[in-house]
Amino acid sequence: MNDLKRYTVHITGIVQGVGMRPHIYKAANQLGLCGWVSNQGATVVIKIAGGNKSIREFLTALLENPPVGAKISNIKIESECYKAYNGFSIINSSTDNQLQGFIPPDMGICDECIKEIRDKMNRRYMYPFTNCTSCGPRYSIIKTLPYDRDNTSMIAFEMCPACMSEYESPDNRRFHAQTNCCADCGPKLSLLDSNGKPIDSIHPVTSARQLLYEGRLIGIKGIGGYHLACNAFDEKAIDLLRKRKRRPDRPLAIMAVNLESARLICKITGKEEEILTSRQRPIVLLEKKNPQLLPNNIAPGINRLGVMLPYTSLHHLLFHEELQYLIMSSGNISGMSICYKDEEAFEKLKDIVDFFLVHNREILTPIDDSVVRVVDEKEMVSRSGRGYSPSTLQIDVSCEIMAMGAEQKSALCLLHKGYAHSTQYMGNLDEMNAYEEYLKNMKRMKVLLGAEPQIIAHDLHTGYLSTQWAIKQSDGRIPIQHHHAHMVACIAEHDLKKDAIGIIYDGTGMGTDGAVWGGEILIGSKGRFLRVGHWKYVTLQGGDSAIKEPWRSAASYLYAMGINSEELLNSVSSLKVKALQNAIRHNVNCFKSSSIGRLFDCVSALVMKRMHITYDAQAAIELESVIEPDVTDFYPYSIKEEEEKLEVGYKEILSGVLRDLKDGMTASYISAKFHNTVCEATIDCVCKIRSKCGIDDIVLGGGVFENAYLLKKMKRGLKERGFYTYHNMNIPTNDGGIAFGQAAAAAQMAKEGNYVSGSSGKDCNH
Ligand SMILES: [Zn+2]
Ligand SMILES: [Zn+2]
Ligand SMILES: [Zn+2]
């Protein structure tokens, strides 16, 4: 038998908490191989010995068919002298934390487990915390790596003999399932009133279901925090939720009992179905079906719904024949991050809900539902949370960097041992407790990965709490311009090696000249950029209120055009408009802006009469929602060349909008024409730029590209003119992706020795 071999195999990636060791154990046994498998730090190490052909088969199967939820990023195979082992075994985890760590995300319940909770004969019948090696909570309950029960909040529950025997039997699908539990030994549900007092109930979940059906509001503790739930058929209950939560307009997420029910309320493409039913179970933004089955107050003024499918046993048990849709809104009060600690939830949500449905397993990391959309049958992550975070992308540098992100849609990115680990969305840092959670998460990421970043990457905006924190540290730091970070987020995600042209359309970002940028055309790479074009500056008045009150953008643009806006904005008091005009005249609280986001606000105020917003980007979202897709017209526009920079004007465009308004054209027509104009003018610009620099790779980035109409139209137009386009997919194109962009940019700059240390605040990337 001279073909006997022995190998040591190291696999890294998302390989813990996904049933990797039992999977390997089974495969090795089936092929008659011997050796062992172990978690070491966050790497899975295998010693495998036996016939060479069988080992090959074993490795091929491992790579081609890993367990669901696993993501092998790297595999290292070393040949060794043959040695026989006594069978194949799983050996206990070592605590070697020096190795690369990957943190497994939470996974939605698997089909096998769903079968069990529905089977009257099964011992887990109706047990709301049923899970197995390939499903259940992970990141939200992990204290430290490696992923073992003792390092999670499941440490509080001792396995009963029946569960222990499953855990110990190699043939059981719960073999070495760290979160294994049942009704006898695992977490338990209780139903409480709004004051947190227990309510007698034999089956809390059945009682909760009845209460939901009757129109009551329930705070439900889930995987990463609390949801505020009510019957999605009940218009009054939804109104009450909106009133109590102080959320007048913001779209509310729906949980549909299954795919068939989701299809009754939305159009669902093949890709959308794949994502809805994936184990990551995000909220998918889908096109509403007409006529609407559910009340209009779920997502007023917009043409899509955020829909997800149940992702825990508990969720499945909440539905019945007459309760097919639930509102599952984030459990927070307006302006705060998601509640996940029981005491905090009872205190903060007691005035919103009528009841609480809670359990006694501690959530260690708050994490919201992820939000994704599908554009041209490709997935785009809009909010990275449960199931998606922490996300891991390879960036080949040796230094360790903590990237701070921006202010809105905050997230952190920790670059460690050649991988960028991006955290979940943590809300806006200016909200009351988001900043606290953000700092806690920073510590947690460092502990989980055993990282000690030497460099901090941050935004240029000194008003951001993330920047202020960075400036206070004595370590080396690298300021990254906001739109360069957006551009690099895309360059790094697609691993582009050559210079690209970046079309970065955004709300707000500090420019290197002190103005607010957001309509930018850049040329550059990870390490540097040149601003080759932008939308013409306008003087905006009102600081933060300019964002929350789109009429201010409209009045500012019109003032710059010498047009009296009082009549056009007649739902705003003329005293307010006059005060704004006066303030611009005397330069009080004014700033220069090239932000496309504000131009969209201006047009929405004029066309949709959207003067105030109550959630982020509401004005632009409503403007996009009314587009008449068959319109191909566009407004005249101008492009000026000044000091080697192109400048796109807004006067001709807005004059066109005003003319159409006067002629009584519909909002649908004007909106389409305006969107088309932004595309035409932009593509015209990049054609001019290409004729000088010869670059035909285009990177599209910034929050404005969450606008699917604009993104699709821009991609199509650029393709017709021979460009190659790239946009973010796994990384959010909005400010949720800034930290990743900062990390990748700073890594490149550090590699080139191009960074400042201490707190000089000097920019190094323009
Ligand atoms: Zn399962
Ligand atoms: Zn048990
Ligand atoms: Zn941005």
Side-chain angles (χ1 to χ4, degrees):
M1 294 284 280
N2 60 1
D3 74 335
L4 285 175
K5 299 272 190 230
R6 182 170 71 129
Y7 295 94
T8 301
V9 184
H10 287 86
I11 49 177
T12 47
I14 298 170
V15 291
Q16 292 189 359
V18 290
M20 184 60 89
R21 287 177 302 168
H23 181 87
I24 287 169
Y25 176 91
K26 267 189 207 162
N29 274 318
Q30 272 163 14
L31 290 162
L33 297 167
C34 61
W36 51 259
V37 58
S38 166
N39 281 344
Q40 293 189 3
T43 302
V44 169
V45 180
I46 311 165
K47 288 271 184 197
I48 189 93
N52 201 23
K53 192 166 158 265
S54 301
I55 293 180
R56 273 172 194 282
E57 222 174 289
F58 168 84
L59 291 173
T60 310
L62 179 63
L63 286 172
E64 288 176 0
N65 292 309
V68 186
K71 198 169 133 197
I72 297 176
S73 310
N74 209 335
I75 183 161
K76 201 171 87 193
I77 303 166
E78 288 159 3
S79 172
E80 286 171 2
C81 288
Y82 177 74
K83 180 186 146 189
Y85 294 86
N86 188 15
F88 194 91
S89 53
I90 295 183
I91 57 175
N92 280 340
S93 292
S94 111
T95 47
D96 176 9
N97 272 325
Q98 301 310 306
L99 297 162
Q100 172 65 47
F102 286 80
I103 306 159
D106 305 299
M107 283 183 295
I109 184 170
C110 72
D111 294 344
E112 292 285 308
C113 287
I114 295 175
K115 259 188 235 155
E116 289 184 357
I117 59 163
R118 291 198 177 133
D119 175 4
K120 279 192 177 150
M121 303 309 289
N122 193 286
R123 70 184 194 93
R124 287 191 177 81
Y125 176 59
M126 284 191 70
Y127 180 55
F129 302 94
T130 302
N131 69 78
C132 70
T133 38
S134 56
C135 75
R138 301 288 186 268
Y139 174 56
S140 59
I141 57 162
I142 291 179
K143 224 178 275 170
T144 176
L145 289 177
Y147 171 67
D148 275 336
R149 191 180 185 97
D150 287 358
N151 291 335
T152 72
S153 57
M154 282 302 289
I155 193 175
F157 306 93
E158 199 182 324
M159 270 189 259
C160 68
C163 286
M164 189 49 105
S165 120
E166 292 168 336
Y167 183 86
E168 284 172 346
S169 336
D171 297 331
N172 194 287
R173 66 186 193 88
R174 292 200 170 83
F175 181 45
H176 281 226
Q178 303 303 332
T179 47
N180 192 24
C181 59
C182 71
D184 289 339
C185 67
K188 286 185 176 40
L189 272 185
S190 20
L191 187 66
L192 314 171
D193 69 12
S194 60
N195 292 314
K197 282 211 189 76
I199 289 176
D200 247 357
S201 168
I202 304 168
H203 292 298
V205 72
T206 318
S207 309
R209 189 163 69 189
Q210 184 59 27
L211 290 165
L212 285 167
Y213 178 64
E214 288 167 5
R216 314 307 285 269
L217 270 49
I218 304 191
I220 300 176
K221 184 176 175 184
I223 295 285
Y226 276 72
H227 276 121
L228 297 171
C230 70
N231 183 353
F233 258 124
D234 193 330
E235 196 168 357
K236 273 194 195 148
I238 298 167
D239 259 344
L240 193 62
L241 175 64
R242 287 199 174 282
K243 221 163 83 205
R244 289 185 184 167
K245 205 180 169 187
R246 282 178 271 146
R247 283 262 162 94
D249 311 304
R250 194 189 183 102
L252 300 169
I254 297 168
M255 184 176 276
V257 63
N258 53 34
L259 192 62
E260 290 66 47
S261 301
R263 264 192 220 292
L264 296 178
I265 54 169
C266 293
K267 294 179 187 162
I268 300 175
T269 67
K271 186 69 186 175
E272 286 163 346
E273 175 180 334
E274 184 191 317
I275 298 168
L276 268 174
T277 54
S278 73
R279 298 288 280 290
Q280 293 164 306
R281 284 284 201 275
I283 295 170
V284 185
L285 299 175
L286 301 168
E287 194 186 330
K288 274 182 190 170
K289 251 190 190 165
N290 270 321
Q292 290 179 50
L293 190 63
L294 298 178
N296 190 44
N297 62 351
I298 294 176
I302 61 175
N303 59 355
R304 58 186 189 223
L305 289 174
V307 180
M308 64 182 147
L309 298 181
Y311 56 85
T312 66
S313 312
L314 171 60
H315 295 152
H316 279 277
L317 299 170
L318 282 172
F319 293 94
H320 67 68
E321 271 156 33
E322 285 175 84
L323 191 65
Q324 302 266 312
Y325 305 94
L326 289 174
I327 296 295
M328 289 290 250
S329 170
S330 246
N332 56 5
I333 48 176
S334 199
M336 295 177 118
S337 56
I338 188 167
C339 293
Y340 70 106
K341 298 258 183 234
D342 298 333
E343 289 310 316
E344 181 200 16
F346 297 159
E347 180 53 36
K348 288 182 178 157
L349 305 179
K350 67 174 190 285
D351 296 329
I352 302 180
V353 302
D354 302 313
F355 298 92
F356 286 102
L357 184 63
V358 302
H359 59 73
N360 57 346
R361 181 179 61 211
E362 200 187 348
I363 297 170
L364 298 178
T365 297
I367 187 160
D368 258 307
D369 296 316
S370 295
V371 180
V372 311
R373 78 184 63 216
V374 172
V375 175
D376 291 337
E377 286 303 88
K378 298 249 166 60
E379 180 178 26
M380 279 181 79
V381 175
S382 173
R383 179 169 90 186
S384 186
R386 177 189 45 76
Y388 287 76
S389 291
S391 73
T392 309
L393 281 170
Q394 196 164 8
I395 292 189
D396 214 4
V397 282
S398 55
C399 58
E400 301 212 331
I401 295 172
M402 179 63 84
M404 307 296 294
E407 174 101 336
Q408 306 284 303
K409 300 181 167 63
S410 68
L412 292 155
C413 181
L414 178 54
L415 198 57
H416 172 64
K417 299 200 172 176
Y419 286 89
H421 303 266
S422 302
T423 68
Q424 71 273 32
Y425 153 96
M426 289 176 277
N428 299 342
L429 294 185
D430 57 356
E431 290 174 355
M432 283 163 77
N433 59 349
Y435 183 59
E436 233 170 79
E437 281 305 326
Y438 168 89
L439 293 180
K440 269 195 221 163
N441 248 305
M442 190 188 311
K443 263 193 201 150
R444 266 177 58 79
M445 287 299 281
K446 287 198 236 176
V447 170
L448 280 175
L449 297 168
E452 279 303 330
Q454 314 95 19
I455 298 170
I456 298 165
H458 62 87
D459 200 274
L460 299 185
H461 199 310
T462 50
Y464 291 173
L465 288 170
S466 59
T467 308
Q468 289 169 8
W469 188 91
I471 289 172
K472 273 190 223 139
Q473 312 309 308
S474 55
D475 309 52
R477 56 186 187 82
I478 306 184
I480 309 287
Q481 197 279 324
H482 188 89
H483 303 97
H484 184 218
H486 273 305
M487 180 169 175
V488 177
C490 185
I491 290 177
E493 185 174 356
H494 293 280
D495 199 21
L496 303 181
K497 306 284 187 211
K498 290 186 295 184
D499 276 5
I501 299 173
I503 301 171
I504 312 300
Y505 284 179
D506 204 23
T508 302
M510 178 60 71
T512 55
D513 59 357
V516 169
W517 292 7
E520 310 306 311
I521 303 181
L522 314 173
I523 290 182
S525 59
K526 285 184 199 164
R528 58 182 58 78
F529 75 92
L530 193 66
R531 191 187 194 206
V532 289
H534 63 85
W535 284 67
K536 186 179 164 63
Y537 283 135
V538 64
T539 301
L540 293 180
Q541 201 281 331
D544 275 356
S545 62
I547 297 169
K548 295 199 171 100
E549 300 176 6
W551 72 266
R552 288 182 180 274
S553 288
S556 301
Y557 274 101
L558 296 178
Y559 180 85
M561 292 165 68
I563 295 172
N564 188 357
S565 51
E566 283 171 51
E567 208 175 300
L568 288 158
L569 305 171
N570 56 11
S571 67
V572 180
S573 96
S574 65
L575 279 176
K576 276 190 172 176
V577 179
K578 281 210 178 81
L580 176 137
Q581 290 165 344
N582 255 327
I584 299 181
R585 215 167 287 134
H586 297 104
N587 197 22
V588 179
N589 198 12
C590 289
F591 57 95
K592 280 200 304 178
S593 157
S594 59
S595 161
I596 281 268
R598 297 296 82 77
L599 184 61
F600 272 79
D601 283 353
C602 162
V603 175
S604 187
L606 294 172
V607 178
M608 308 293 296
K609 307 294 171 206
R610 172 52 65 198
M611 303 302 173
H612 299 83
I613 59 168
T614 63
Y615 66 90
D616 187 37
Q618 181 179 0
I621 291 170
E622 289 175 352
L623 189 65
E624 182 198 351
S625 274
V626 299
I627 288 177
E628 167 59 54
D630 298 330
V631 175
T632 52
D633 299 352
F634 55 90
Y635 294 111
Y637 58 85
S638 66
I639 298 173
K640 257 193 357 200
E641 185 161 358
E642 242 172 50
E643 295 169 19
E644 308 252 310
K645 261 194 214 111
L646 299 178
E647 188 186 84
V648 190
Y650 52 79
K651 286 188 183 169
E652 293 78 0
I653 301 173
L654 290 177
S655 301
V657 169
L658 293 175
R659 220 171 22 245
D660 275 349
L661 272 174
K662 212 170 151 199
D663 292 347
M665 305 306 281
T666 63
S668 301
Y669 173 78
I670 300 174
S671 173
K673 206 166 159 185
F674 169 68
H675 279 79
N676 295 347
T677 315
V678 171
C679 289
E680 286 296 327
T682 306
I683 294 169
D684 203 348
C685 273
V686 292
C687 286
K688 288 184 202 298
I689 292 164
R690 175 170 65 179
S691 68
K692 284 189 189 166
C693 67
I695 298 171
D696 47 21
D697 278 348
I698 307 276
V699 162
L700 303 167
V704 171
F705 284 109
E706 293 220 85
N707 182 321
Y709 180 87
L710 194 74
L711 177 62
K712 281 198 235 177
K713 183 115 192 151
M714 196 80 90
K715 276 171 70 183
R716 208 177 313 134
L718 288 164
K719 196 178 165 202
E720 279 165 9
R721 288 163 180 85
F723 289 101
Y724 302 96
T725 57
Y726 302 88
H727 60 81
N728 282 120
M729 284 148 79
N730 291 313
I731 299 292
T733 194
N734 56 45
D735 281 7
I738 285 287
F740 173 72
Q742 288 170 343
Q748 184 60 30
M749 290 171 195
K751 209 166 163 181
E752 293 167 5
N754 184 9
Y755 82 92
V756 286
S757 81
S759 51
S760 75
K762 182 174 139 270
D763 305 333
C764 55
N765 55 339
H766 56 97

